[in-house]
Amino acid sequence: MKNVAIVILNYTQYISIKRGIDELKKRGYHIDVYCPVSDKTDGFKEMFDDTRNLLIKNGYNVYSNVKNKKYKVLLEPYPSMLIDAEYKIRYRYGMISAKPNIVYNPYNYLMYDAILCSGKYDSNILSVFTKTHEIPSLKYDNFKKKKHNYGKKVLLYLPTYGECSSIDLLEQELSNLRKQYYVIVKTHHGTSFLKDEKTRVDKLKNNVDEYYDCFKSLQDLLSIADVVLTDNSGAIFEAMYTNTPVAVFCDDINKNKIGDFNTTQYELHKLGILPYTNKKNEIKKILQEALSLNVQEKQKYWSKENFCYSKTPSVDFADLIEQYLNDNIDKTYINFHNILSNNYYDLVRQRDSLKTSLSAKNEELLKINKELERLNNFYYNNYAKLKDYENGKLYKMSTKIYSAIAKVRSQKK
Protein backbone atom coordinates (compact mmCIF):
# COMPACT_ATOMS: atom_id res chain seq x y z
CA MET A 1 0.00 0.00 0.00
CA LYS A 2 2.89 2.38 -0.73
CA ASN A 3 0.79 4.82 -2.72
CA VAL A 4 0.51 8.58 -2.45
CA ALA A 5 -2.39 11.02 -2.94
CA ILE A 6 -1.64 14.66 -3.65
CA VAL A 7 -4.24 17.47 -3.71
CA ILE A 8 -3.49 20.34 -6.10
CA LEU A 9 -5.96 23.21 -6.52
CA ASN A 10 -4.08 25.80 -8.56
CA TYR A 11 -1.02 26.39 -10.67
CA THR A 12 1.04 27.89 -7.84
CA GLN A 13 0.58 24.75 -5.76
CA TYR A 14 1.48 22.58 -8.73
CA ILE A 15 4.76 24.38 -9.34
CA SER A 16 5.64 24.20 -5.64
CA ILE A 17 5.37 20.40 -5.52
CA LYS A 18 5.96 19.25 -9.11
CA ARG A 19 9.61 18.28 -8.72
CA GLY A 20 8.78 16.30 -5.59
CA ILE A 21 6.02 14.37 -7.37
CA ASP A 22 8.31 13.58 -10.27
CA GLU A 23 11.05 12.35 -7.92
CA LEU A 24 8.61 10.01 -6.16
CA LYS A 25 7.36 8.71 -9.52
CA LYS A 26 10.96 8.13 -10.60
CA ARG A 27 11.43 5.97 -7.49
CA GLY A 28 8.49 3.82 -8.54
CA TYR A 29 5.71 5.05 -6.25
CA HIS A 30 2.14 5.25 -7.49
CA ILE A 31 0.82 8.81 -7.38
CA ASP A 32 -2.84 9.88 -7.63
CA VAL A 33 -3.44 13.60 -8.01
CA TYR A 34 -6.74 15.15 -6.90
CA CYS A 35 -8.23 18.38 -8.21
CA PRO A 36 -11.92 18.81 -7.30
CA VAL A 37 -14.73 20.17 -9.45
CA SER A 38 -16.30 23.43 -8.32
CA ASP A 39 -19.71 24.85 -9.17
CA LYS A 40 -18.87 28.33 -7.87
CA THR A 41 -19.43 31.27 -10.19
CA ASP A 42 -16.77 33.53 -8.65
CA GLY A 43 -13.87 32.12 -10.67
CA PHE A 44 -12.83 29.11 -8.60
CA LYS A 45 -14.49 26.73 -11.07
CA GLU A 46 -12.30 28.07 -13.89
CA MET A 47 -9.22 27.91 -11.65
CA PHE A 48 -9.81 24.26 -10.75
CA ASP A 49 -10.71 23.28 -14.33
CA ASP A 50 -7.60 24.94 -15.71
CA THR A 51 -5.39 23.24 -13.13
CA ARG A 52 -6.98 19.83 -13.76
CA ASN A 53 -6.48 20.12 -17.51
CA LEU A 54 -2.84 21.08 -17.02
CA LEU A 55 -2.22 18.10 -14.73
CA ILE A 56 -3.84 15.70 -17.20
CA LYS A 57 -1.84 17.22 -20.06
CA ASN A 58 1.37 16.60 -18.09
CA GLY A 59 0.56 12.91 -17.69
CA TYR A 60 -0.61 12.60 -14.07
CA ASN A 61 -3.39 10.33 -12.80
CA VAL A 62 -5.95 13.02 -11.98
CA TYR A 63 -9.24 12.53 -10.11
CA SER A 64 -12.00 14.99 -9.28
CA ASN A 65 -13.87 12.81 -6.82
CA VAL A 66 -12.48 10.92 -3.82
CA LYS A 67 -11.81 7.27 -4.63
CA ASN A 68 -12.83 4.47 -2.29
CA LYS A 69 -9.22 3.81 -1.46
CA LYS A 70 -6.85 4.23 1.46
CA TYR A 71 -3.47 5.75 0.75
CA LYS A 72 -0.28 5.41 2.70
CA VAL A 73 0.45 9.15 2.46
CA LEU A 74 -1.74 12.14 1.64
CA LEU A 75 -0.13 15.46 0.72
CA GLU A 76 -2.37 18.53 0.58
CA PRO A 77 -1.88 22.30 0.96
CA TYR A 78 -4.77 22.73 3.44
CA PRO A 79 -7.95 20.83 4.41
CA SER A 80 -9.84 20.38 1.15
CA MET A 81 -10.84 16.78 0.33
CA LEU A 82 -11.77 13.91 2.67
CA ILE A 83 -9.18 11.44 1.39
CA ASP A 84 -8.42 8.44 3.58
CA ALA A 85 -4.72 8.01 4.36
CA GLU A 86 -2.58 6.51 7.07
CA TYR A 87 -0.37 9.60 7.18
CA LYS A 88 -1.51 13.11 6.30
CA ILE A 89 1.13 15.72 5.50
CA ARG A 90 0.56 19.42 4.80
CA TYR A 91 2.83 20.68 2.04
CA ARG A 92 3.48 24.38 1.52
CA TYR A 93 3.19 26.43 -1.65
CA GLY A 94 4.85 29.56 -0.25
CA MET A 95 7.72 30.21 2.11
CA ILE A 96 6.09 31.83 5.19
CA SER A 97 2.52 33.06 5.55
CA ALA A 98 2.08 36.83 5.62
CA LYS A 99 -1.51 36.41 6.88
CA PRO A 100 -1.35 34.48 10.17
CA ASN A 101 -4.88 35.51 11.19
CA ILE A 102 -6.22 33.61 8.17
CA VAL A 103 -3.75 30.73 7.93
CA TYR A 104 -2.35 29.95 11.38
CA ASN A 105 -5.35 28.41 13.12
CA PRO A 106 -5.68 24.91 14.63
CA TYR A 107 -8.33 23.76 12.15
CA ASN A 108 -5.85 24.09 9.27
CA TYR A 109 -3.09 22.09 10.95
CA LEU A 110 -4.07 19.70 13.73
CA MET A 111 -5.36 17.02 11.35
CA TYR A 112 -1.88 16.56 9.87
CA ASP A 113 0.77 14.17 11.11
CA ALA A 114 3.44 16.49 9.75
CA ILE A 115 3.92 19.92 8.15
CA LEU A 116 6.58 20.74 5.58
CA CYS A 117 8.27 24.02 6.53
CA SER A 118 10.64 26.40 4.78
CA GLY A 119 13.14 26.53 7.65
CA LYS A 120 13.61 26.87 11.38
CA TYR A 121 11.50 30.04 11.68
CA ASP A 122 8.15 28.62 10.58
CA SER A 123 9.12 25.15 11.83
CA ASN A 124 9.34 26.57 15.34
CA ILE A 125 6.00 28.40 15.04
CA LEU A 126 4.03 25.52 13.51
CA SER A 127 5.44 22.87 15.83
CA VAL A 128 2.71 23.88 18.30
CA PHE A 129 0.28 22.02 16.02
CA THR A 130 2.15 18.87 14.98
CA LYS A 131 5.49 17.48 13.75
CA THR A 132 7.41 19.81 11.45
CA HIS A 133 10.05 19.05 8.83
CA GLU A 134 12.34 21.61 7.22
CA ILE A 135 12.44 21.09 3.46
CA PRO A 136 14.09 23.43 0.91
CA SER A 137 11.90 25.01 -1.75
CA LEU A 138 11.40 22.62 -4.67
CA LYS A 139 10.55 25.33 -7.19
CA TYR A 140 13.84 27.20 -6.64
CA ASP A 141 15.99 24.18 -7.45
CA ASN A 142 19.03 25.48 -9.41
CA PHE A 143 17.88 29.09 -9.05
CA LYS A 144 20.42 31.63 -10.26
CA LYS A 145 20.34 35.41 -10.70
CA LYS A 146 20.69 36.62 -14.31
CA LYS A 147 21.76 39.85 -15.96
CA HIS A 148 19.29 41.88 -18.00
CA ASN A 149 19.63 44.70 -20.53
CA TYR A 150 16.62 46.90 -19.82
CA GLY A 151 18.77 49.98 -19.22
CA LYS A 152 17.12 50.53 -15.83
CA LYS A 153 16.87 48.57 -12.63
CA VAL A 154 14.03 46.03 -12.81
CA LEU A 155 11.27 46.54 -10.25
CA LEU A 156 9.14 43.42 -9.81
CA TYR A 157 5.75 44.22 -8.31
CA LEU A 158 4.10 41.19 -6.65
CA PRO A 159 0.74 42.14 -5.11
CA THR A 160 -1.55 39.78 -3.25
CA TYR A 161 -5.31 39.66 -3.90
CA GLY A 162 -8.46 40.51 -1.96
CA GLU A 163 -8.68 43.17 0.73
CA CYS A 164 -4.96 42.96 1.48
CA SER A 165 -3.97 43.91 -2.07
CA SER A 166 -2.22 47.22 -2.75
CA ILE A 167 -3.20 47.37 -6.45
CA ASP A 168 -5.97 49.94 -5.99
CA LEU A 169 -3.68 52.17 -3.93
CA LEU A 170 -0.79 52.03 -6.41
CA GLU A 171 -2.55 52.41 -9.77
CA GLN A 172 -1.13 55.86 -10.61
CA GLU A 173 2.12 55.49 -8.67
CA LEU A 174 3.18 52.53 -10.84
CA SER A 175 3.31 54.84 -13.85
CA ASN A 176 5.51 57.27 -11.91
CA LEU A 177 7.89 54.46 -10.91
CA ARG A 178 8.44 53.63 -14.59
CA LYS A 179 10.49 56.83 -14.93
CA GLN A 180 13.16 55.28 -12.72
CA TYR A 181 12.53 51.53 -13.01
CA TYR A 182 11.53 48.99 -15.62
CA VAL A 183 8.33 47.80 -13.92
CA ILE A 184 7.17 44.20 -14.25
CA VAL A 185 4.12 42.85 -12.47
CA LYS A 186 3.01 39.28 -11.83
CA THR A 187 -0.42 38.78 -10.30
CA HIS A 188 -1.58 36.39 -7.62
CA HIS A 189 -3.54 33.36 -8.90
CA GLY A 190 -6.60 34.85 -7.18
CA THR A 191 -6.32 38.02 -9.27
CA SER A 192 -5.79 35.93 -12.41
CA PHE A 193 -9.05 33.98 -11.96
CA LEU A 194 -11.49 35.54 -9.52
CA LYS A 195 -14.15 37.70 -11.15
CA ASP A 196 -14.04 40.30 -8.38
CA GLU A 197 -10.41 40.97 -9.30
CA LYS A 198 -10.87 41.59 -13.03
CA THR A 199 -10.89 45.41 -12.80
CA ARG A 200 -7.53 45.25 -11.05
CA VAL A 201 -5.99 43.46 -14.02
CA ASP A 202 -6.79 46.42 -16.28
CA LYS A 203 -5.31 48.85 -13.75
CA LEU A 204 -2.05 46.91 -13.82
CA LYS A 205 -1.81 46.33 -17.57
CA ASN A 206 -2.17 50.04 -18.29
CA ASN A 207 0.48 51.19 -15.82
CA VAL A 208 3.45 48.80 -16.09
CA ASP A 209 6.06 47.84 -18.69
CA GLU A 210 5.29 44.12 -18.57
CA TYR A 211 2.27 42.30 -17.15
CA TYR A 212 2.07 38.57 -16.34
CA ASP A 213 -0.63 36.42 -14.81
CA CYS A 214 -0.09 33.53 -12.40
CA PHE A 215 1.28 31.22 -15.11
CA LYS A 216 4.47 33.17 -15.61
CA SER A 217 7.38 31.60 -13.76
CA LEU A 218 8.11 33.57 -10.59
CA GLN A 219 11.56 32.03 -10.56
CA ASP A 220 12.35 33.55 -13.98
CA LEU A 221 11.13 36.99 -12.90
CA LEU A 222 13.00 36.94 -9.60
CA SER A 223 16.15 35.90 -11.43
CA ILE A 224 16.21 39.25 -13.30
CA ALA A 225 14.62 41.48 -10.64
CA ASP A 226 16.84 44.07 -8.96
CA VAL A 227 14.22 44.83 -6.30
CA VAL A 228 10.75 43.61 -5.33
CA LEU A 229 7.81 45.71 -4.17
CA THR A 230 4.91 43.89 -2.55
CA ASP A 231 2.26 44.21 0.17
CA ASN A 232 1.00 41.82 2.86
CA SER A 233 1.91 38.96 0.57
CA GLY A 234 3.95 35.80 0.92
CA ALA A 235 5.98 37.20 -1.99
CA ILE A 236 8.04 39.01 0.67
CA PHE A 237 9.62 35.72 1.64
CA GLU A 238 9.91 34.40 -1.93
CA ALA A 239 12.09 37.43 -2.64
CA MET A 240 14.12 37.00 0.52
CA TYR A 241 14.65 33.28 -0.17
CA THR A 242 16.23 34.18 -3.52
CA ASN A 243 18.24 37.06 -2.01
CA THR A 244 16.29 39.63 -4.03
CA PRO A 245 15.97 42.97 -2.15
CA VAL A 246 12.37 43.58 -1.11
CA ALA A 247 10.29 46.44 0.30
CA VAL A 248 6.64 46.58 1.42
CA PHE A 249 3.90 49.09 0.69
CA CYS A 250 0.47 48.53 2.28
CA ASP A 251 -2.01 50.28 4.57
CA ASP A 252 -0.95 48.32 7.67
CA ILE A 253 1.95 45.86 7.78
CA ASN A 254 0.56 44.23 10.93
CA LYS A 255 -3.14 44.08 9.96
CA ASN A 256 -3.03 40.27 9.73
CA LYS A 257 -1.69 39.66 13.23
CA ILE A 258 -3.47 37.06 15.34
CA GLY A 259 -3.84 37.83 19.04
CA ASP A 260 -0.44 38.86 20.36
CA PHE A 261 1.32 37.12 17.47
CA ASN A 262 2.54 39.78 15.05
CA THR A 263 3.04 39.20 11.35
CA THR A 264 6.56 38.16 10.38
CA GLN A 265 6.87 41.15 8.05
CA TYR A 266 6.05 43.50 10.93
CA GLU A 267 8.74 41.92 13.11
CA LEU A 268 11.27 42.16 10.27
CA HIS A 269 10.43 45.83 9.77
CA LYS A 270 10.94 46.52 13.48
CA LEU A 271 14.37 44.91 13.23
CA GLY A 272 15.36 47.19 10.33
CA ILE A 273 15.43 44.27 7.90
CA LEU A 274 12.36 45.06 5.79
CA PRO A 275 11.72 48.61 4.50
CA TYR A 276 8.03 49.57 4.74
CA THR A 277 5.72 52.51 4.22
CA ASN A 278 2.01 53.19 3.92
CA LYS A 279 2.61 56.50 2.13
CA LYS A 280 2.80 56.53 -1.68
CA ASN A 281 5.26 59.42 -1.74
CA GLU A 282 7.76 57.29 0.23
CA ILE A 283 7.79 54.27 -2.09
CA LYS A 284 10.90 55.40 -3.97
CA LYS A 285 12.59 55.94 -0.62
CA ILE A 286 11.93 52.40 0.66
CA LEU A 287 13.01 50.91 -2.68
CA GLN A 288 16.31 52.75 -2.39
CA GLU A 289 16.58 51.56 1.18
CA ALA A 290 16.01 47.95 0.09
CA LEU A 291 18.74 48.35 -2.53
CA SER A 292 21.23 49.68 0.02
CA LEU A 293 24.10 47.36 0.88
CA ASN A 294 23.18 47.50 4.58
CA VAL A 295 19.61 46.21 4.09
CA GLN A 296 20.63 43.68 1.46
CA GLU A 297 23.12 42.13 3.87
CA LYS A 298 20.52 42.05 6.65
CA GLN A 299 17.98 40.32 4.42
CA LYS A 300 20.54 37.79 3.18
CA TYR A 301 21.66 37.00 6.71
CA TRP A 302 18.08 36.51 7.97
CA SER A 303 17.32 34.24 5.03
CA LYS A 304 20.41 32.14 5.61
CA GLU A 305 19.55 31.76 9.28
CA ASN A 306 15.85 31.01 8.89
CA PHE A 307 15.36 29.27 5.54
CA CYS A 308 16.40 25.77 4.56
CA TYR A 309 18.64 25.51 1.48
CA SER A 310 19.94 22.45 -0.35
CA LYS A 311 21.54 21.45 -3.63
CA THR A 312 19.10 18.52 -3.92
CA PRO A 313 15.66 19.71 -2.69
CA SER A 314 13.68 17.12 -4.68
CA VAL A 315 15.78 14.31 -3.25
CA ASP A 316 15.40 15.70 0.27
CA PHE A 317 11.62 15.86 -0.23
CA ALA A 318 11.33 12.31 -1.57
CA ASP A 319 13.62 10.95 1.17
CA LEU A 320 11.31 12.43 3.81
CA ILE A 321 8.12 11.09 2.22
CA GLU A 322 9.76 7.66 1.96
CA GLN A 323 10.23 7.66 5.73
CA TYR A 324 6.44 7.79 6.09
CA LEU A 325 5.87 5.31 3.27
CA ASN A 326 8.16 2.86 5.06
CA ASP A 327 6.84 3.63 8.59
CA ASN A 328 10.31 4.83 9.52
CA ILE A 329 8.91 7.38 11.95
CA ASP A 330 8.01 7.76 15.61
CA LYS A 331 4.67 5.89 15.75
CA THR A 332 4.22 6.73 19.43
CA TYR A 333 4.23 10.42 18.57
CA ILE A 334 1.74 9.83 15.74
CA ASN A 335 -0.63 7.86 17.97
CA PHE A 336 -0.53 10.43 20.75
CA HIS A 337 -1.03 13.30 18.31
CA ASN A 338 -4.06 11.47 16.88
CA ILE A 339 -5.66 11.55 20.35
CA LEU A 340 -5.27 15.33 20.45
CA SER A 341 -6.40 15.76 16.86
CA ASN A 342 -9.47 13.52 17.20
CA ASN A 343 -10.47 15.25 20.42
CA TYR A 344 -10.20 18.68 18.79
CA TYR A 345 -12.23 17.80 15.69
CA ASP A 346 -14.86 16.02 17.81
CA LEU A 347 -15.31 19.28 19.70
CA VAL A 348 -15.48 21.19 16.40
CA ARG A 349 -18.22 18.84 15.16
CA GLN A 350 -20.12 19.23 18.44
CA ARG A 351 -19.86 23.00 18.16
CA ASP A 352 -21.06 22.95 14.56
CA SER A 353 -23.95 20.65 15.51
CA LEU A 354 -24.98 23.02 18.31
CA LYS A 355 -24.75 25.96 15.92
CA THR A 356 -27.03 24.14 13.48
CA SER A 357 -29.47 23.27 16.25
CA LEU A 358 -29.45 26.82 17.62
CA SER A 359 -29.90 28.18 14.11
CA ALA A 360 -32.99 25.96 13.64
CA LYS A 361 -34.38 27.08 17.01
CA ASN A 362 -33.67 30.66 16.09
CA GLU A 363 -35.64 30.20 12.87
CA GLU A 364 -38.59 28.88 14.90
CA LEU A 365 -38.38 31.84 17.28
CA LEU A 366 -38.28 34.25 14.35
CA LYS A 367 -41.46 32.68 12.93
CA ILE A 368 -43.19 32.90 16.34
CA ASN A 369 -42.05 36.49 16.70
CA LYS A 370 -43.45 37.36 13.27
CA GLU A 371 -46.80 35.77 14.19
CA LEU A 372 -46.87 37.73 17.46
CA GLU A 373 -46.14 40.91 15.55
CA ARG A 374 -48.97 40.12 13.13
CA LEU A 375 -51.42 39.49 15.99
CA ASN A 376 -50.24 42.60 17.80
CA ASN A 377 -50.71 44.71 14.67
CA PHE A 378 -54.14 43.13 14.12
CA TYR A 379 -55.13 43.91 17.70
CA TYR A 380 -53.75 47.44 17.56
CA ASN A 381 -55.43 48.28 14.26
CA ASN A 382 -58.80 46.87 15.35
CA TYR A 383 -58.53 48.47 18.78
CA ALA A 384 -57.94 51.82 17.10
CA LYS A 385 -60.96 51.29 14.85
CA LEU A 386 -63.02 50.37 17.90
CA LYS A 387 -61.95 53.57 19.68
CA ASP A 388 -62.83 55.62 16.62
CA TYR A 389 -66.22 53.92 16.52
CA GLU A 390 -66.84 54.53 20.24
CA ASN A 391 -66.11 58.23 19.79
CA GLY A 392 -68.56 58.49 16.89
CA LYS A 393 -72.10 59.99 17.11
CA LEU A 394 -73.77 56.77 15.99
CA TYR A 395 -72.12 54.78 18.77
CA LYS A 396 -73.06 57.36 21.40
CA MET A 397 -76.66 57.53 20.12
CA SER A 398 -77.04 53.74 20.04
CA THR A 399 -75.55 53.52 23.52
CA LYS A 400 -78.23 55.91 24.82
CA ILE A 401 -80.96 53.93 23.02
CA TYR A 402 -79.77 50.61 24.46
CA SER A 403 -79.54 52.20 27.89
CA ALA A 404 -83.10 53.54 27.64
CA ILE A 405 -84.43 50.15 26.45
CA ALA A 406 -82.69 48.44 29.33
CA LYS A 407 -84.21 50.96 31.77
CA VAL A 408 -87.74 50.40 30.41
CA ARG A 409 -87.39 46.64 30.67
CA SER A 410 -86.17 47.01 34.20
CA GLN A 411 -89.22 49.09 35.20
CA LYS A 412 -91.64 46.56 33.64
CA LYS A 413 -90.19 43.86 35.84
Side-chain angles (χ1 to χ4, degrees), residues 174-344:
L174 287 171
S175 291
N176 295 332
L177 288 169
R178 291 171 69 184
K179 297 173 185 176
Q180 185 174 347
Y181 298 94
Y182 188 83
V183 181
I184 301 175
V185 64
K186 171 180 161 60
T187 56
H188 188 280
H189 54 268
T191 304
S192 297
F193 279 97
L194 300 184
K195 293 179 181 178
D196 289 346
E197 297 277 316
K198 293 304 180 186
T199 56
R200 286 176 166 171
V201 172
D202 294 331
K203 291 178 181 179
L204 291 172
K205 285 182 177 179
N206 296 330
N207 290 287
V208 298
D209 294 295
E210 292 184 30
Y211 167 86
Y212 296 102
D213 61 19
C214 65
F215 297 105
K216 176 65 176 177
S217 167
L218 180 57
Q219 300 91 298
D220 289 346
L221 294 178
L222 284 170
S223 70
I224 62 169
D226 292 295
V227 62
V228 167
L229 179 66
T230 185
D231 40 39
N232 281 310
S233 165
I236 297 167
F237 309 105
E238 304 281 328
M240 291 184 68
Y241 188 82
T242 60
N243 291 324
T244 307
V246 56
V248 171
F249 168 78
C250 60
D251 55 352
D252 180 2
I253 198 171
N254 205 26
K255 74 183 299 180
N256 295 112
K257 66 178 293 190
I258 179 170
D260 293 328
F261 180 78
N262 295 316
T263 64
T264 306
Q265 58 268 30
Y266 171 78
E267 294 293 350
L268 290 177
H269 173 61
K270 281 203 310 180
L271 292 170
I273 297 172
L274 184 63
Y276 158 71
T277 186
N278 57 9
K279 299 179 178 65
K280 286 189 282 187
N281 62 359
E282 293 183 357
I283 290 176
K284 290 182 180 179
K285 175 184 174 183
I286 62 169
L287 290 174
Q288 285 299 109
E289 189 180 345
L291 285 164
S292 70
L293 183 60
N294 178 42
V295 170
Q296 286 192 59
E297 289 302 318
K298 286 181 178 179
Q299 291 187 359
K300 286 179 181 179
Y301 181 79
W302 193 91
S303 299
K304 182 180 178 181
E305 290 296 304
N306 291 280
F307 289 132
C308 179
Y309 293 93
S310 169
K311 294 181 179 180
T312 56
S314 301
V315 172
D316 297 344
F317 170 86
D319 286 349
L320 174 64
I321 302 305
E322 274 192 329
Q323 291 181 32
Y324 285 87
L325 288 167
N326 296 322
D327 297 306
N328 187 23
I329 54 172
D330 186 348
K331 295 282 284 188
T332 301
Y333 177 91
I334 296 290
N335 293 334
F336 195 69
H337 178 264
N338 285 341
I339 294 172
L340 169 64
S341 176
N342 292 335
N343 190 6
Y344 171 79

Side-chain angles (χ1 to χ4, degrees), residues 383-400:
Y383 179 76
K385 289 178 182 178
L386 179 61
K387 282 295 182 184
D388 288 341
Y389 176 68
E390 288 177 348
N391 291 327
K393 291 181 179 180
L394 180 60
Y395 177 80
K396 291 177 179 179
M397 185 181 295
S398 60
T399 301
K400 290 179 179 180

Side-chain angles (χ1 to χ4, degrees), residues 29-87:
Y29 294 106
H30 179 81
I31 310 288
D32 284 343
V33 179
Y34 285 86
C35 183
V37 173
S38 174
D39 58 1
K40 294 183 177 180
T41 59
D42 55 3
F44 277 101
K45 179 185 185 301
E46 290 78 6
M47 183 189 294
F48 291 175
D49 290 347
D50 189 272
T51 304
R52 190 182 315 103
N53 292 334
L54 175 66
L55 292 165
I56 293 171
K57 181 181 177 181
N58 287 345
Y60 297 104
N61 301 315
V62 184
Y63 301 94
S64 298
N65 299 310
V66 177
K67 296 176 66 177
N68 185 21
K69 177 179 180 180
K70 183 167 184 176
Y71 294 87
K72 188 71 175 181
V73 171
L74 165 66
L75 287 155
E76 63 178 346
Y78 39 74
S80 49
M81 301 183 75
L82 298 175
I83 297 172
D84 191 13
E86 185 172 348
Y87 301 117

